[in-house]
Amino acid sequence: MSDDSTQDRPSSGSAPTSPARRADAIEGQGPPAASPHAHPSESRPSTPNALSSPNNADPVASSSVTRRRERDNPRPAARDERVPSAADTALPSVHNRSAEIAKLFADAASYPIGLVDLEQPEGPAIVGEDTLDLDALSAAWHRPQAPGPRQIVGEGRALGVAIVAPLVLSGRSGWVAAITPGETDITPQHHALAALLGGLAEDWANQAAANALWVRRLRNEAAYYERLHTLSGVGTLSGRAGHPRVDACPKSLDVLWRGTIQTIDDFMDAVVPHDRMAVQATLNHDGETTPAIADFEVNTGSQQRVTARLKVNTYRDDVDMRHFIATLEDVSAEKRHLAELQKLAARDMQTGLLNADQLQPQLTEALEEARVARQSAALTLISIDGLNDIVGVLGGQAGNQVITFVATTLKQLIRGTDALIRTGESSFAVVLRRVVDDVAAERRAAMIKDVLAAPVDLGGETIDISVSVGFAIFP
C-alpha cells in the first residue's frame, strides 16, 4: 500500500479516531483512514456521495486530492516525523459550517450523529462520538429525495435511522440529518421529530434565502449607486447625529480630494475654515421634509479652487435618533459657468459697460459705504444730445460709433472706485464714491461735459456732438 494511503492512519496500538479528526477527513482533507472498528475484509461501495477508503475511491477525485496534497504538503522523508502543515488544519469555511450545523442538528434531536450533505466532492460532513462507526454510516449514506425519517442501509443490514431536512448553506442547497445508529424501525416518534426538526430547518432555509436575497439586493443597489456616482459625479455621505463615524462613498472622496474619510472631523478638515460654520449648520439641519443645501470651498491643499455642494436630508429612527444622508457634488464648473453668465447678464453687449440693471445695486452699495465712512457719494447722469437725428441722417452705423466714442471716453475719465453704467440707448450714469463735497462733484460733471464736446470721426466725415450732464450728491 502506498504512503498516501497509510501515512495518516493511526498505528495498531493507537486510540480510535476522534470526531474532530473524522470531520477533518470529511471536510476537505481527502479520504478518511479506515476505521479501527471495521473488519479488514469489509469492502464499501463507491458512490458519488460516499466517503470511501483510499483503495476504492473515485480515481479522478482521489488523484486530484493526492496531487493537491503533494503540492501543498511535500512528503517528508520519514512518516513518523511528519509535522502537520497549515494546509492540513485550515478548512474552507463552508466545510467548517457544515460540521457545526451537523452537530447542532444532532443536538437538537438528542441524536449522537449529525450529517450535512451539500454534494461536496469529498462526501458529506459527519460528526459523532468516537465509539460509533461513522465511516460505515457515511459510506451507506445516499442523497434523499424528500425530507423525513429514513433508514440507512449498508452491507445488507440496517445501520440506523436518520431524520432528514433540507438545508441551504452559502447559496448551496443540500440536506441535514440527525442519525441514531442501531435502530432499524421507523416509529411515529421518528415522524413527529422529523416534522419538528423539518420546520426548524425550513425556518433556517427561509431565513438563509431571505438573507441571501437581501445581500443580492444590497450588492445590486451598491453597484447601481456606484455607476450613478460615476456618471453623475455625485457622492454620498451618511452618519448619525452625535456619532463621530461617517460613511463616505468613493466618489465623495474624489469630490473632497481625500483618500479616506472615516469621521466627521475628517470631513470638516476637507472644508476651508471660512465655510466650516455654514457646513456644520447644514449637517445639523433637523427638517425631514426639505433638505438643507450649502456650497463650500474644498480644502485641496493647492492653488486649485474646487467648490462642492452639500445637500443634507435627515430622518429619525424608531428610537428617535437623528440620522443624515447627504450628497456631495463638485459644482466648480457650474459655479464658473454661472459666474460667466452673471457677468454677461450684467454687461451691455455693445459697449461692455454695466447695464441698467446694475444701477440700483451699485448706487445702494455706494450710499452704504458713504454712510459707514461718513463721506459723500454722487450720481452723475450723461445723455447724448441729438443721437436720433444723427441716426436719421447718417444711419445706424454712425449712431453706434458715437455711442462707442462716448463709452470709451467715459472709461478713461472715471476712477477705479467708480462705476460706469449704460442706462439707456443714449444715456449713461457714473456712480462716484468717496466724493469730498458737492463742489468736487460739480467739477467732475463739468469735466465730463467739456471732454465729450469734441468732434467725432465717422470714417471720412466728422461731426460735433454734445452731451447733457447732471449730478446729485449724498448726503
Side-chain angles (χ1 to χ4, degrees):
M1 188 176 291
S2 65
D3 288 343
D4 285 341
S5 63
T6 62
Q7 60 181 355
D8 289 338
R9 293 189 180 187
S11 63
S12 58
S14 63
T17 307
S18 66
R21 186 64 178 270
R22 292 181 184 274
D24 289 347
I26 292 171
E27 295 172 12
Q29 298 301 318
S35 171
H37 303 287
H39 194 276
S41 62
E42 288 181 347
S43 61
R44 298 188 176 97
S46 176
T47 61
N49 291 324
L51 280 177
S52 56
S53 67
N55 291 334
N56 56 7
D58 179 75
V60 176
S62 177
S63 62
S64 63
V65 171
T66 301
R67 287 195 298 271
R68 184 172 67 253
R69 279 186 170 181
E70 291 176 351
R71 182 183 68 247
D72 297 337
N73 306 301
R75 182 180 302 151
R79 289 180 297 169
D80 297 339
E81 299 177 358
R82 183 177 184 273
V83 178
S85 67
D88 293 324
T89 57
L91 302 177
S93 60
V94 66
H95 299 304
N96 291 337
R97 291 293 309 280
S98 296
E100 293 173 1
I101 292 176
K103 186 177 185 309
L104 289 174
F105 197 73
D107 292 344
S110 297
Y111 280 13
I113 300 174
L115 179 146
V116 167
D117 181 7
L118 296 175
E119 289 191 336
Q120 304 100 315
E122 63 275 15
I126 185 169
V127 295
E129 300 175 2
D130 290 346
T131 58
L132 301 174
D133 193 354
L134 302 184
D135 290 340
L137 290 171
S138 177
W141 170 263
H142 296 282
R143 191 174 179 86
Q145 300 298 322
R150 61 186 295 266
Q151 285 186 338
I152 299 180
V153 179
E155 303 171 357
R157 62 187 179 92
L159 301 179
V161 174
I163 306 299
V164 181
L167 174 70
V168 176
L169 179 62
S170 300
R172 300 167 64 180
S173 61
W175 299 92
V176 59
I179 304 172
T180 175
E183 297 188 12
T184 58
D185 297 328
I186 297 177
T187 65
Q189 288 78 7
H190 290 138
H191 286 283
L193 185 58
L196 178 63
L197 295 181
L200 179 62
E202 184 177 359
D203 291 341
W204 291 348
N206 292 338
Q207 185 63 41
N211 291 341
L213 179 62
W214 274 108
V215 169
R216 287 195 299 270
R217 182 177 298 176
L218 291 174
R219 286 176 178 172
N220 291 337
E221 288 183 357
Y224 167 77
Y225 283 115
E226 187 61 31
R227 291 194 298 270
L228 183 63
H229 294 160
T230 302
L231 294 175
S232 64
V234 177
T236 54
L237 183 78
S238 60
R240 189 178 68 191
H243 197 275
R245 299 284 297 181
V246 294
D247 293 323
C249 76
K251 190 59 187 179
S252 296
L253 302 181
D254 293 341
V255 173
L256 298 173
W257 284 53
R258 290 297 184 273
T260 179
I261 289 181
Q262 297 181 347
T263 66
I264 195 67
D265 290 337
D266 294 340
F267 170 67
M268 296 305 294
D269 286 342
V271 182
V272 294
H274 61 80
D275 285 339
R276 288 176 183 171
M277 185 176 295
V279 169
Q280 187 64 58
T282 304
L283 289 175
N284 293 336
H285 169 67
D286 200 13
E288 297 187 15
T289 57
T290 57
I293 302 175
D295 291 346
F296 63 91
E297 188 174 343
V298 177
N299 186 10
T300 62
S302 65
Q303 294 184 350
Q304 183 169 352
R305 301 191 62 178
V306 175
T307 304
R309 176 166 297 157
L310 177 70
K311 185 175 182 180
V312 179
N313 290 274
T314 61
Y315 69 94
R316 292 186 177 273
D317 57 19
D318 295 338
V319 295
D320 203 34
M321 179 66 69
R322 189 177 68 86
H323 300 256
F324 69 86
I325 301 177
T327 58
L328 283 165
E329 181 182 3
D330 187 342
V331 293
S332 303
E334 176 184 338
K335 286 289 187 180
R336 288 192 295 268
H337 183 61
L338 181 61
E340 290 295 330
L341 291 178
Q342 291 175 341
K343 184 177 180 180
L344 291 175
R347 296 286 172 176
D348 174 63
M349 298 299 294
Q350 180 178 356
T351 62
L353 303 179
L354 296 174
N355 58 29
D357 293 337
Q358 306 305 309
L359 175 61
Q360 187 62 43
Q362 290 291 334
L363 185 59
T364 301
E365 182 180 344
L367 295 180
E368 181 63 20
E369 290 179 1
R371 185 187 65 80
V372 172
R374 296 185 179 183
Q375 294 179 342
S376 297
L379 173 65
T380 302
L381 300 177
I382 303 106
S383 178
I384 302 175
D385 299 331
L387 180 61
N388 290 334
D389 295 336
I390 296 173
V391 172
V393 175
L394 300 177
Q397 182 65 28
N400 291 336
Q401 289 179 317
V402 171
I403 293 172
T404 302
F405 168 76
V406 172
T408 303
T409 304
L410 288 174
K411 287 180 185 179
Q412 297 172 354
L413 294 177
I414 65 173
R415 300 167 301 175
T417 57
D418 300 334
L420 176 59
I421 304 164
R422 185 181 181 186
T423 57
E425 182 180 2
S426 60
S427 57
F428 301 84
V430 180
V431 178
L432 302 173
R433 291 177 170 83
R434 303 174 187 173
V435 178
V436 177
D437 51 26
D438 55 351
V439 175
E442 183 177 3
R443 188 183 307 113
R444 179 64 61 86
M447 179 188 66
I448 291 175
K449 182 177 179 65
D450 293 341
V451 171
L452 290 178
V456 179
D457 184 7
L458 300 178
E461 186 172 354
T462 301
I463 62 171
D464 293 327
I465 64 170
S466 62
V467 295
S468 299
V469 180
F471 72 94
I473 190 169
F474 170 85

